[in-house]
Amino acid sequence: MERIVPRDKWLYNDRGMMKWMGWLLSDHSAFMEGEKNKENLQPILPQMGVVDISDRLQQAWESADYVSIQLNVLNHDNFVPELVGVVVGFDAGRIYLQMDSGETKLLRVEEIRSVIPVREDKWWNDDK
């Protein structure tokens, strides 16, 4: 049984879900802060030499392979998230990294801490 009372006969003006918005917002903010902290925690990779970094970047550029690059940049005492993409160019100690989103990042080789080749899983190798 449903009891529907016309709005003009209400004893007070009910705000509906507005009264819960503070609770929802604070929980959502706490969740988002936790996710941000998880995102920021990057494993610290060993510092590579400039020659090793240059060799790996050149090899990735020649074969158009994906690489994961960790920068020597700290944000709130944690390393910034790794950049994954394809090396599409270089010029005077700078490289151009194209991300999956289509965005191209310009990085200086001096900023790079580590370069790791990323193995691409080909759809034709999938055994599912």
mmCIF file of all heavy atoms in Angstrom, residues 39-81:
data_model
loop_
_atom_site.group_PDB
_atom_site.id
_atom_site.type_symbol
_atom_site.label_atom_id
_atom_site.label_comp_id
_atom_site.label_asym_id
_atom_site.label_seq_id
_atom_site.Cartn_x
_atom_site.Cartn_y
_atom_site.Cartn_z
ATOM 1 N N GLU A 39 47.809 5.544 -6.349
ATOM 2 C CA GLU A 39 48.366 5.904 -7.642
ATOM 3 C C GLU A 39 49.769 6.463 -7.499
ATOM 4 O O GLU A 39 50.640 6.208 -8.313
ATOM 5 C CB GLU A 39 47.489 6.981 -8.287
ATOM 6 C CG GLU A 39 46.848 6.563 -9.554
ATOM 7 C CD GLU A 39 45.965 7.670 -10.084
ATOM 8 O OE1 GLU A 39 46.408 8.828 -10.150
ATOM 9 O OE2 GLU A 39 44.822 7.365 -10.427
ATOM 10 N N ASN A 40 49.988 7.251 -6.453
ATOM 11 C CA ASN A 40 51.263 7.933 -6.286
ATOM 12 C C ASN A 40 52.378 7.017 -5.833
ATOM 13 O O ASN A 40 53.542 7.350 -6.005
ATOM 14 C CB ASN A 40 51.117 9.094 -5.299
ATOM 15 C CG ASN A 40 50.369 10.253 -5.907
ATOM 16 O OD1 ASN A 40 50.283 10.358 -7.116
ATOM 17 N ND2 ASN A 40 49.834 11.115 -5.083
ATOM 18 N N LEU A 41 52.063 5.884 -5.219
ATOM 19 C CA LEU A 41 53.103 5.008 -4.723
ATOM 20 C C LEU A 41 53.715 4.227 -5.875
ATOM 21 O O LEU A 41 53.148 3.274 -6.379
ATOM 22 C CB LEU A 41 52.539 4.054 -3.662
ATOM 23 C CG LEU A 41 52.026 4.714 -2.391
ATOM 24 C CD1 LEU A 41 51.452 3.672 -1.463
ATOM 25 C CD2 LEU A 41 53.120 5.495 -1.694
ATOM 26 N N GLN A 42 54.868 4.662 -6.306
ATOM 27 C CA GLN A 42 55.577 4.032 -7.411
ATOM 28 C C GLN A 42 56.780 3.287 -6.857
ATOM 29 O O GLN A 42 57.478 3.793 -5.976
ATOM 30 C CB GLN A 42 56.042 5.086 -8.419
ATOM 31 C CG GLN A 42 54.933 5.816 -9.104
ATOM 32 C CD GLN A 42 54.130 4.896 -9.993
ATOM 33 O OE1 GLN A 42 54.676 4.061 -10.694
ATOM 34 N NE2 GLN A 42 52.827 5.030 -9.944
ATOM 35 N N PRO A 43 57.040 2.092 -7.358
ATOM 36 C CA PRO A 43 58.257 1.415 -6.915
ATOM 37 C C PRO A 43 59.468 2.200 -7.398
ATOM 38 O O PRO A 43 59.467 2.753 -8.503
ATOM 39 C CB PRO A 43 58.171 0.048 -7.584
ATOM 40 C CG PRO A 43 57.266 0.240 -8.735
ATOM 41 C CD PRO A 43 56.305 1.335 -8.337
ATOM 42 N N ILE A 44 60.477 2.268 -6.575
ATOM 43 C CA ILE A 44 61.671 3.010 -6.932
ATOM 44 C C ILE A 44 62.579 2.092 -7.734
ATOM 45 O O ILE A 44 63.069 1.088 -7.225
ATOM 46 C CB ILE A 44 62.388 3.529 -5.674
ATOM 47 C CG1 ILE A 44 61.449 4.457 -4.908
ATOM 48 C CG2 ILE A 44 63.665 4.261 -6.050
ATOM 49 C CD1 ILE A 44 61.972 4.868 -3.561
ATOM 50 N N LEU A 45 62.755 2.416 -8.981
ATOM 51 C CA LEU A 45 63.620 1.641 -9.861
ATOM 52 C C LEU A 45 65.048 2.143 -9.716
ATOM 53 O O LEU A 45 65.277 3.315 -9.406
ATOM 54 C CB LEU A 45 63.147 1.769 -11.310
ATOM 55 C CG LEU A 45 61.735 1.262 -11.586
ATOM 56 C CD1 LEU A 45 61.326 1.582 -13.004
ATOM 57 C CD2 LEU A 45 61.639 -0.221 -11.315
ATOM 58 N N PRO A 46 66.031 1.272 -9.947
ATOM 59 C CA PRO A 46 67.424 1.719 -9.820
ATOM 60 C C PRO A 46 67.774 2.775 -10.864
ATOM 61 O O PRO A 46 67.272 2.739 -11.983
ATOM 62 C CB PRO A 46 68.234 0.436 -10.036
ATOM 63 C CG PRO A 46 67.309 -0.525 -10.683
ATOM 64 C CD PRO A 46 65.921 -0.128 -10.307
ATOM 65 N N GLN A 47 68.633 3.698 -10.460
ATOM 66 C CA GLN A 47 69.079 4.755 -11.362
ATOM 67 C C GLN A 47 69.974 4.147 -12.443
ATOM 68 O O GLN A 47 70.938 3.475 -12.144
ATOM 69 C CB GLN A 47 69.855 5.813 -10.577
ATOM 70 C CG GLN A 47 70.459 6.904 -11.424
ATOM 71 C CD GLN A 47 69.429 7.858 -11.966
ATOM 72 O OE1 GLN A 47 68.601 8.348 -11.215
ATOM 73 N NE2 GLN A 47 69.481 8.119 -13.250
ATOM 74 N N MET A 48 69.616 4.385 -13.685
ATOM 75 C CA MET A 48 70.413 3.899 -14.812
ATOM 76 C C MET A 48 71.377 4.993 -15.257
ATOM 77 O O MET A 48 71.126 6.176 -15.057
ATOM 78 C CB MET A 48 69.506 3.510 -15.979
ATOM 79 C CG MET A 48 68.615 2.332 -15.712
ATOM 80 S SD MET A 48 67.459 2.009 -17.069
ATOM 81 C CE MET A 48 68.586 1.542 -18.369
ATOM 82 N N GLY A 49 72.457 4.572 -15.892
ATOM 83 C CA GLY A 49 73.405 5.529 -16.442
ATOM 84 C C GLY A 49 72.864 6.143 -17.717
ATOM 85 O O GLY A 49 71.987 5.586 -18.383
ATOM 86 N N VAL A 50 73.416 7.290 -18.085
ATOM 87 C CA VAL A 50 72.954 8.002 -19.279
ATOM 88 C C VAL A 50 73.180 7.163 -20.535
ATOM 89 O O VAL A 50 72.348 7.148 -21.444
ATOM 90 C CB VAL A 50 73.669 9.368 -19.388
ATOM 91 C CG1 VAL A 50 73.286 10.088 -20.663
ATOM 92 C CG2 VAL A 50 73.363 10.228 -18.182
ATOM 93 N N VAL A 51 74.280 6.414 -20.585
ATOM 94 C CA VAL A 51 74.577 5.588 -21.753
ATOM 95 C C VAL A 51 73.537 4.474 -21.886
ATOM 96 O O VAL A 51 73.022 4.215 -22.990
ATOM 97 C CB VAL A 51 76.006 5.000 -21.650
ATOM 98 C CG1 VAL A 51 76.266 4.027 -22.784
ATOM 99 C CG2 VAL A 51 77.036 6.114 -21.632
ATOM 100 N N ASP A 52 73.201 3.803 -20.766
ATOM 101 C CA ASP A 52 72.191 2.743 -20.796
ATOM 102 C C ASP A 52 70.824 3.279 -21.201
ATOM 103 O O ASP A 52 70.101 2.660 -21.984
ATOM 104 C CB ASP A 52 72.088 2.048 -19.434
ATOM 105 C CG ASP A 52 73.335 1.253 -19.080
ATOM 106 O OD1 ASP A 52 74.034 0.816 -20.020
ATOM 107 O OD2 ASP A 52 73.592 1.070 -17.883
ATOM 108 N N ILE A 53 70.478 4.438 -20.656
ATOM 109 C CA ILE A 53 69.193 5.060 -21.005
ATOM 110 C C ILE A 53 69.154 5.380 -22.490
ATOM 111 O O ILE A 53 68.180 5.067 -23.186
ATOM 112 C CB ILE A 53 68.958 6.330 -20.154
ATOM 113 C CG1 ILE A 53 68.712 5.947 -18.690
ATOM 114 C CG2 ILE A 53 67.804 7.150 -20.696
ATOM 115 C CD1 ILE A 53 68.656 7.119 -17.740
ATOM 116 N N SER A 54 70.222 5.982 -23.009
ATOM 117 C CA SER A 54 70.275 6.337 -24.429
ATOM 118 C C SER A 54 70.188 5.098 -25.316
ATOM 119 O O SER A 54 69.497 5.109 -26.337
ATOM 120 C CB SER A 54 71.558 7.101 -24.736
ATOM 121 O OG SER A 54 71.565 8.319 -24.038
ATOM 122 N N ASP A 55 70.903 4.020 -24.919
ATOM 123 C CA ASP A 55 70.858 2.784 -25.708
ATOM 124 C C ASP A 55 69.451 2.199 -25.760
ATOM 125 O O ASP A 55 68.967 1.792 -26.816
ATOM 126 C CB ASP A 55 71.830 1.741 -25.136
ATOM 127 C CG ASP A 55 73.281 2.102 -25.401
ATOM 128 O OD1 ASP A 55 73.536 2.971 -26.261
ATOM 129 O OD2 ASP A 55 74.165 1.517 -24.724
ATOM 130 N N ARG A 56 68.783 2.149 -24.607
ATOM 131 C CA ARG A 56 67.422 1.588 -24.572
ATOM 132 C C ARG A 56 66.441 2.447 -25.352
ATOM 133 O O ARG A 56 65.562 1.932 -26.038
ATOM 134 C CB ARG A 56 66.959 1.417 -23.130
ATOM 135 C CG ARG A 56 67.626 0.249 -22.452
ATOM 136 C CD ARG A 56 66.888 -0.180 -21.241
ATOM 137 N NE ARG A 56 67.565 -1.309 -20.617
ATOM 138 C CZ ARG A 56 67.239 -1.783 -19.448
ATOM 139 N NH1 ARG A 56 66.248 -1.251 -18.764
ATOM 140 N NH2 ARG A 56 67.885 -2.809 -18.945
ATOM 141 N N LEU A 57 66.586 3.764 -25.239
ATOM 142 C CA LEU A 57 65.695 4.658 -25.987
ATOM 143 C C LEU A 57 65.923 4.531 -27.490
ATOM 144 O O LEU A 57 64.971 4.513 -28.261
ATOM 145 C CB LEU A 57 65.885 6.103 -25.531
ATOM 146 C CG LEU A 57 65.367 6.442 -24.139
ATOM 147 C CD1 LEU A 57 65.787 7.842 -23.745
ATOM 148 C CD2 LEU A 57 63.866 6.271 -24.058
ATOM 149 N N GLN A 58 67.194 4.415 -27.903
ATOM 150 C CA GLN A 58 67.482 4.270 -29.326
ATOM 151 C C GLN A 58 66.939 2.945 -29.848
ATOM 152 O O GLN A 58 66.343 2.893 -30.926
ATOM 153 C CB GLN A 58 68.986 4.345 -29.581
ATOM 154 C CG GLN A 58 69.322 4.238 -31.053
ATOM 155 C CD GLN A 58 70.801 4.401 -31.320
ATOM 156 O OE1 GLN A 58 71.586 4.632 -30.404
ATOM 157 N NE2 GLN A 58 71.177 4.294 -32.577
ATOM 158 N N GLN A 59 67.107 1.880 -29.073
ATOM 159 C CA GLN A 59 66.590 0.574 -29.480
ATOM 160 C C GLN A 59 65.065 0.607 -29.587
ATOM 161 O O GLN A 59 64.481 0.071 -30.531
ATOM 162 C CB GLN A 59 67.027 -0.485 -28.473
ATOM 163 C CG GLN A 59 66.718 -1.885 -28.878
ATOM 164 C CD GLN A 59 67.249 -2.879 -27.854
ATOM 165 O OE1 GLN A 59 67.351 -2.574 -26.669
ATOM 166 N NE2 GLN A 59 67.570 -4.066 -28.332
ATOM 167 N N ALA A 60 64.405 1.268 -28.624
ATOM 168 C CA ALA A 60 62.945 1.382 -28.665
ATOM 169 C C ALA A 60 62.498 2.215 -29.855
ATOM 170 O O ALA A 60 61.476 1.919 -30.479
ATOM 171 C CB ALA A 60 62.436 1.991 -27.362
ATOM 172 N N TRP A 61 63.251 3.266 -30.177
ATOM 173 C CA TRP A 61 62.889 4.118 -31.311
ATOM 174 C C TRP A 61 63.036 3.360 -32.627
ATOM 175 O O TRP A 61 62.164 3.431 -33.494
ATOM 176 C CB TRP A 61 63.754 5.369 -31.311
ATOM 177 C CG TRP A 61 63.492 6.251 -32.481
ATOM 178 C CD1 TRP A 61 62.382 7.010 -32.711
ATOM 179 C CD2 TRP A 61 64.346 6.448 -33.601
ATOM 180 N NE1 TRP A 61 62.503 7.677 -33.906
ATOM 181 C CE2 TRP A 61 63.698 7.350 -34.470
ATOM 182 C CE3 TRP A 61 65.592 5.966 -33.951
ATOM 183 C CZ2 TRP A 61 64.257 7.772 -35.666
ATOM 184 C CZ3 TRP A 61 66.148 6.385 -35.142
ATOM 185 C CH2 TRP A 61 65.486 7.275 -35.987
ATOM 186 N N GLU A 62 64.127 2.602 -32.761
ATOM 187 C CA GLU A 62 64.361 1.865 -34.000
ATOM 188 C C GLU A 62 63.332 0.767 -34.240
ATOM 189 O O GLU A 62 62.945 0.503 -35.373
ATOM 190 C CB GLU A 62 65.766 1.258 -33.990
ATOM 191 C CG GLU A 62 66.861 2.297 -34.130
ATOM 192 C CD GLU A 62 68.251 1.726 -33.927
ATOM 193 O OE1 GLU A 62 68.367 0.536 -33.538
ATOM 194 O OE2 GLU A 62 69.222 2.475 -34.132
ATOM 195 N N SER A 63 62.885 0.114 -33.158
ATOM 196 C CA SER A 63 61.940 -1.002 -33.306
ATOM 197 C C SER A 63 60.493 -0.588 -33.037
ATOM 198 O O SER A 63 59.596 -1.423 -33.121
ATOM 199 C CB SER A 63 62.333 -2.140 -32.376
ATOM 200 O OG SER A 63 62.325 -1.703 -31.030
ATOM 201 N N ALA A 64 60.266 0.688 -32.708
ATOM 202 C CA ALA A 64 58.919 1.219 -32.411
ATOM 203 C C ALA A 64 58.235 0.413 -31.312
ATOM 204 O O ALA A 64 57.040 0.141 -31.374
ATOM 205 C CB ALA A 64 58.067 1.269 -33.661
ATOM 206 N N ASP A 65 59.005 0.045 -30.272
ATOM 207 C CA ASP A 65 58.470 -0.697 -29.127
ATOM 208 C C ASP A 65 58.024 0.268 -28.028
ATOM 209 O O ASP A 65 58.536 1.382 -27.908
ATOM 210 C CB ASP A 65 59.530 -1.645 -28.552
ATOM 211 C CG ASP A 65 59.805 -2.825 -29.456
ATOM 212 O OD1 ASP A 65 58.912 -3.171 -30.259
ATOM 213 O OD2 ASP A 65 60.902 -3.398 -29.356
ATOM 214 N N TYR A 66 57.097 -0.208 -27.204
ATOM 215 C CA TYR A 66 56.662 0.552 -26.041
ATOM 216 C C TYR A 66 57.739 0.503 -24.968
ATOM 217 O O TYR A 66 58.424 -0.514 -24.793
ATOM 218 C CB TYR A 66 55.373 -0.029 -25.460
ATOM 219 C CG TYR A 66 54.129 0.447 -26.154
ATOM 220 C CD1 TYR A 66 53.706 -0.139 -27.335
ATOM 221 C CD2 TYR A 66 53.379 1.484 -25.624
ATOM 222 C CE1 TYR A 66 52.561 0.291 -27.971
ATOM 223 C CE2 TYR A 66 52.224 1.923 -26.254
ATOM 224 C CZ TYR A 66 51.826 1.321 -27.427
ATOM 225 O OH TYR A 66 50.698 1.761 -28.051
ATOM 226 N N VAL A 67 57.879 1.608 -24.239
ATOM 227 C CA VAL A 67 58.783 1.669 -23.102
ATOM 228 C C VAL A 67 58.062 2.295 -21.920
ATOM 229 O O VAL A 67 57.108 3.062 -22.079
ATOM 230 C CB VAL A 67 60.060 2.488 -23.410
ATOM 231 C CG1 VAL A 67 60.975 1.772 -24.363
ATOM 232 C CG2 VAL A 67 59.733 3.866 -23.900
ATOM 233 N N SER A 68 58.510 1.923 -20.737
ATOM 234 C CA SER A 68 58.020 2.522 -19.507
ATOM 235 C C SER A 68 59.157 3.366 -18.946
ATOM 236 O O SER A 68 60.257 2.870 -18.720
ATOM 237 C CB SER A 68 57.622 1.424 -18.513
ATOM 238 O OG SER A 68 57.271 1.995 -17.280
ATOM 239 N N ILE A 69 58.898 4.644 -18.739
ATOM 240 C CA ILE A 69 59.922 5.585 -18.306
ATOM 241 C C ILE A 69 59.570 6.124 -16.934
ATOM 242 O O ILE A 69 58.477 6.634 -16.718
ATOM 243 C CB ILE A 69 60.061 6.756 -19.312
ATOM 244 C CG1 ILE A 69 60.500 6.212 -20.664
ATOM 245 C CG2 ILE A 69 61.024 7.800 -18.796
ATOM 246 C CD1 ILE A 69 60.591 7.263 -21.742
ATOM 247 N N GLN A 70 60.532 5.968 -16.004
ATOM 248 C CA GLN A 70 60.373 6.581 -14.687
ATOM 249 C C GLN A 70 61.254 7.814 -14.641
ATOM 250 O O GLN A 70 62.450 7.752 -14.952
ATOM 251 C CB GLN A 70 60.750 5.624 -13.569
ATOM 252 C CG GLN A 70 60.453 6.202 -12.196
ATOM 253 C CD GLN A 70 60.713 5.220 -11.065
ATOM 254 O OE1 GLN A 70 61.762 4.614 -11.017
ATOM 255 N NE2 GLN A 70 59.744 5.073 -10.194
ATOM 256 N N LEU A 71 60.643 8.938 -14.281
ATOM 257 C CA LEU A 71 61.380 10.197 -14.225
ATOM 258 C C LEU A 71 61.981 10.405 -12.843
ATOM 259 O O LEU A 71 61.507 9.839 -11.852
ATOM 260 C CB LEU A 71 60.448 11.360 -14.562
ATOM 261 C CG LEU A 71 59.806 11.333 -15.946
ATOM 262 C CD1 LEU A 71 58.863 12.510 -16.097
ATOM 263 C CD2 LEU A 71 60.858 11.343 -17.025
ATOM 264 N N ASN A 72 63.011 11.224 -12.779
ATOM 265 C CA ASN A 72 63.644 11.581 -11.517
ATOM 266 C C ASN A 72 62.925 12.779 -10.901
ATOM 267 O O ASN A 72 63.553 13.712 -10.417
ATOM 268 C CB ASN A 72 65.116 11.945 -11.741
ATOM 269 C CG ASN A 72 66.040 10.910 -11.181
ATOM 270 O OD1 ASN A 72 65.657 10.119 -10.331
ATOM 271 N ND2 ASN A 72 67.270 10.905 -11.664
ATOM 272 N N VAL A 73 61.618 12.771 -10.923
ATOM 273 C CA VAL A 73 60.814 13.886 -10.438
ATOM 274 C C VAL A 73 60.004 13.401 -9.240
ATOM 275 O O VAL A 73 59.291 12.400 -9.328
ATOM 276 C CB VAL A 73 59.863 14.398 -11.547
ATOM 277 C CG1 VAL A 73 58.991 15.513 -11.019
ATOM 278 C CG2 VAL A 73 60.664 14.858 -12.748
ATOM 279 N N LEU A 74 60.147 14.096 -8.113
ATOM 280 C CA LEU A 74 59.412 13.736 -6.908
ATOM 281 C C LEU A 74 58.205 14.645 -6.744
ATOM 282 O O LEU A 74 58.275 15.847 -7.015
ATOM 283 C CB LEU A 74 60.305 13.846 -5.673
ATOM 284 C CG LEU A 74 61.448 12.850 -5.575
ATOM 285 C CD1 LEU A 74 62.327 13.179 -4.373
ATOM 286 C CD2 LEU A 74 60.929 11.437 -5.465
ATOM 287 N N ASN A 75 57.102 14.053 -6.282
ATOM 288 C CA ASN A 75 55.886 14.791 -5.982
ATOM 289 C C ASN A 75 55.392 14.291 -4.633
ATOM 290 O O ASN A 75 54.984 13.137 -4.526
ATOM 291 C CB ASN A 75 54.845 14.570 -7.081
ATOM 292 C CG ASN A 75 53.616 15.411 -6.876
ATOM 293 O OD1 ASN A 75 53.611 16.338 -6.075
ATOM 294 N ND2 ASN A 75 52.565 15.096 -7.599
ATOM 295 N N HIS A 76 55.456 15.123 -3.607
ATOM 296 C CA HIS A 76 55.078 14.732 -2.241
ATOM 297 C C HIS A 76 55.890 13.521 -1.787
ATOM 298 O O HIS A 76 55.354 12.543 -1.278
ATOM 299 C CB HIS A 76 53.580 14.441 -2.134
ATOM 300 C CG HIS A 76 52.723 15.593 -2.521
ATOM 301 N ND1 HIS A 76 52.636 16.738 -1.780
ATOM 302 C CD2 HIS A 76 51.919 15.776 -3.592
ATOM 303 C CE1 HIS A 76 51.819 17.583 -2.367
ATOM 304 N NE2 HIS A 76 51.370 17.029 -3.470
ATOM 305 N N ASP A 77 57.199 13.561 -1.985
ATOM 306 C CA ASP A 77 58.147 12.520 -1.578
ATOM 307 C C ASP A 77 57.931 11.176 -2.267
ATOM 308 O O ASP A 77 58.368 10.150 -1.779
ATOM 309 C CB ASP A 77 58.127 12.324 -0.055
ATOM 310 C CG ASP A 77 58.565 13.580 0.681
ATOM 311 O OD1 ASP A 77 59.413 14.325 0.128
ATOM 312 O OD2 ASP A 77 58.077 13.831 1.791
ATOM 313 N N ASN A 78 57.222 11.135 -3.369
ATOM 314 C CA ASN A 78 57.044 9.928 -4.182
ATOM 315 C C ASN A 78 57.363 10.270 -5.632
ATOM 316 O O ASN A 78 57.162 11.400 -6.059
ATOM 317 C CB ASN A 78 55.603 9.405 -4.102
ATOM 318 C CG ASN A 78 55.274 8.841 -2.742
ATOM 319 O OD1 ASN A 78 56.044 8.095 -2.157
ATOM 320 N ND2 ASN A 78 54.124 9.222 -2.223
ATOM 321 N N PHE A 79 57.834 9.271 -6.362
ATOM 322 C CA PHE A 79 58.081 9.492 -7.776
ATOM 323 C C PHE A 79 56.761 9.613 -8.512
ATOM 324 O O PHE A 79 55.779 8.959 -8.161
ATOM 325 C CB PHE A 79 58.910 8.343 -8.373
ATOM 326 C CG PHE A 79 60.354 8.394 -7.967
ATOM 327 C CD1 PHE A 79 60.845 7.541 -7.011
ATOM 328 C CD2 PHE A 79 61.206 9.319 -8.537
ATOM 329 C CE1 PHE A 79 62.169 7.598 -6.621
ATOM 330 C CE2 PHE A 79 62.531 9.384 -8.163
ATOM 331 C CZ PHE A 79 63.018 8.517 -7.189
ATOM 332 N N VAL A 80 56.750 10.454 -9.541
ATOM 333 C CA VAL A 80 55.539 10.611 -10.344
ATOM 334 C C VAL A 80 55.274 9.301 -11.078
ATOM 335 O O VAL A 80 56.189 8.506 -11.293
ATOM 336 C CB VAL A 80 55.665 11.788 -11.338
ATOM 337 C CG1 VAL A 80 55.791 13.104 -10.600
ATOM 338 C CG2 VAL A 80 56.818 11.599 -12.280
ATOM 339 N N PRO A 81 54.021 9.031 -11.462
ATOM 340 C CA PRO A 81 53.712 7.777 -12.162
ATOM 341 C C PRO A 81 54.543 7.622 -13.435
ATOM 342 O O PRO A 81 54.899 8.598 -14.089
ATOM 343 C CB PRO A 81 52.226 7.909 -12.497
ATOM 344 C CG PRO A 81 51.701 8.871 -11.502
ATOM 345 C CD PRO A 81 52.816 9.814 -11.207
#
